[in-house]
């Protein structure tokens, strides 16, 4: 999403089907560097009914990321990361 120091403002995530998604946000420069030690936020989006799309938002109030913001999505869905 971004390389270099920045502030994470919010994260929006939507699951496209009943299987749901897991979205992990890391303070690192690449997905290859993503690990449990630099994971900052995890969103689990799990719709309760088949064929139901569910969207959530997490306001993070400007958390400071030193290295960069990397997002790792598991499942079928989409996300938006707002930073400055």
């Amino acid at each position: 999403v971004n390389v270099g120091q920045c502030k994470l403002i919010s994260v929006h995530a939507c699951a496209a089907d009943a299987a749901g998604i897991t979205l992990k946000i890391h303070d690192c420069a690449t997905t290859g560097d993503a690990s449990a030690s630099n994971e900052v936020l995890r969103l689990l989006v799990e719709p309760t009914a088949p064929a139901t799309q569910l969207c959530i938002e997490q306001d993070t109030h400007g958390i400071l990321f030193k290295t960069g913001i990397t997002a790792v999505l598991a499942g079928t869905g989409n996300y938006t990361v707002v930073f400055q």
Side-chain angles (χ1 to χ4, degrees), residues 23-64:
L23 177 63
K24 298 177 184 179
I25 305 295
H26 297 266
D27 186 353
C28 62
T30 67
T31 55
D33 296 330
S35 69
S37 65
N38 59 30
E39 185 178 324
V40 177
L41 177 70
R42 182 182 298 199
L43 296 177
L44 303 173
V45 184
E46 298 177 338
T48 57
T52 300
Q53 183 178 26
L54 178 65
C55 297
I56 62 172
E57 184 227 353
Q58 177 66 52
D59 185 359
T60 57
H61 301 283
I63 296 172
L64 182 64

